[in-house]
Amino acid sequence: MSPTLIMDFNRTVSRPLAQLGLMENEVGETHLLGWNLQAEDLIHIPEHWLKYQEPSSLQHYYLAFMYTIFMFVALFGNGLVIWVFCVAKPLRTPSNIFVINLALCDFVMMAKAPIFILGSINRGYQGHFLCQLFGTAGAFSGIGASATNAAIAYDRFSTIAKPFDGRMTYGRAFFLIICIWTYTLPWGLLPLTEKWNRYVPEGYLTSCTFDYLSPTDETRAFVGIMFVICYVIPVSLVIFFYSQIVSHVFNHEKALREQAKKMNVESLRSNQDANAQSAEVRIAKAAITICCLFIASWTPYAVVAMIGAFGDRLELSKRVPCLGISEKPPPTASETQSTTTAA
């Protein structure tokens, strides 16, 4: 008897159950990802991941160890920033409200790490509820951080380029915080409620994010719009505001040099000013560094999501074989028929 086909298996899985669990290699029989899961769990996993060999225990334990270190460092660092802000009244400035919001986003981002660590220790998917919790926390903290970085860039630009009338006030700061979370809210809730897209496992099935692999127009539309709203727009604002800051600083320095030349002096700055940069410029430099790290961290993920939704998932392994993706083309109709007949 031929194996039973699972049609419309979370809108992606349509292979026989017999092909979901085992594979043959030169050594012998090995497990594929998801081999030990029940049907109620498999329906939440894009078929794309189910064709990969299960990683070794050593790989899982290595990731669990590394993420444990990252988690403690991130929670300690961001927790320290939040604590200092709460106890030190002089630090509660309007501009620092954005810094605290960013620290809260980063704190939440790593506060979900125990779910990943638990999954790595147990070598696999930890269930639908924890997956939804992981994905939701990641969406709110990630998108919230990107919008907050844009707000920080705007604040630095206003303060440096318009020192007299561009200072941030508490009212404006709280208004921008409300705008940030209003901007973030739909993209965290829509996949959670499955009104548009959903949170699904990815990779080794130990982490979860929005679905960017299901071959549907709904998924492509969500990924495309989210790419623009949650990545392109914040990054463009960050680049624009900081480029304006750099331009303003250069123009200001040029004007000072020209004026000093007219007055036949070396510099219009005092000795103290000559030996120390302004606090605002130093804060801007720190913020630029943070934003560059943010862009460097999230750009690869954004690109992979776009490739998963719109691109050829096999092309990357052909163009950049050193990544070790080793993704194979799907079997032809004749190969599938011969496999089914043999079964």
Side-chain angles (χ1 to χ4, degrees), residues 71-81 107:
M71 179 186 68
F72 280 112
V73 171
L75 293 182
F76 175 78
N78 289 289
L80 187 62
V81 171
F107 189 91

Side-chain angles (χ1 to χ4, degrees), residues 275-297:
N275 295 329
Q277 295 174 306
S278 72
E280 299 297 347
V281 172
R282 283 186 280 120
I283 292 173
K285 286 185 175 181
I288 290 173
T289 302
I290 292 173
C291 289
C292 288
L293 292 174
F294 177 86
I295 293 172
S297 300

Side-chain angles (χ1 to χ4, degrees), residues 161-176:
K162 306 173 184 178
F164 297 106
D165 58 357
R167 291 280 178 177
M168 184 64 63
T169 64
Y170 283 105
R172 189 189 301 179
F174 283 118
F175 173 75
L176 288 175

Side-chain angles (χ1 to χ4, degrees), residues 148-191:
T148 303
N149 275 309
I152 291 175
Y154 167 73
D155 173 51
R156 293 299 87 206
F157 165 74
S158 298
T159 302
I160 294 174
K162 306 173 184 178
F164 297 106
D165 58 357
R167 291 280 178 177
M168 184 64 63
T169 64
Y170 283 105
R172 189 189 301 179
F174 283 118
F175 173 75
L176 288 175
I177 291 294
I178 293 173
C179 290
I180 288 171
W181 290 110
T182 302
Y183 189 86
T184 302
L185 189 64
W187 309 104
L189 288 183
L190 284 172

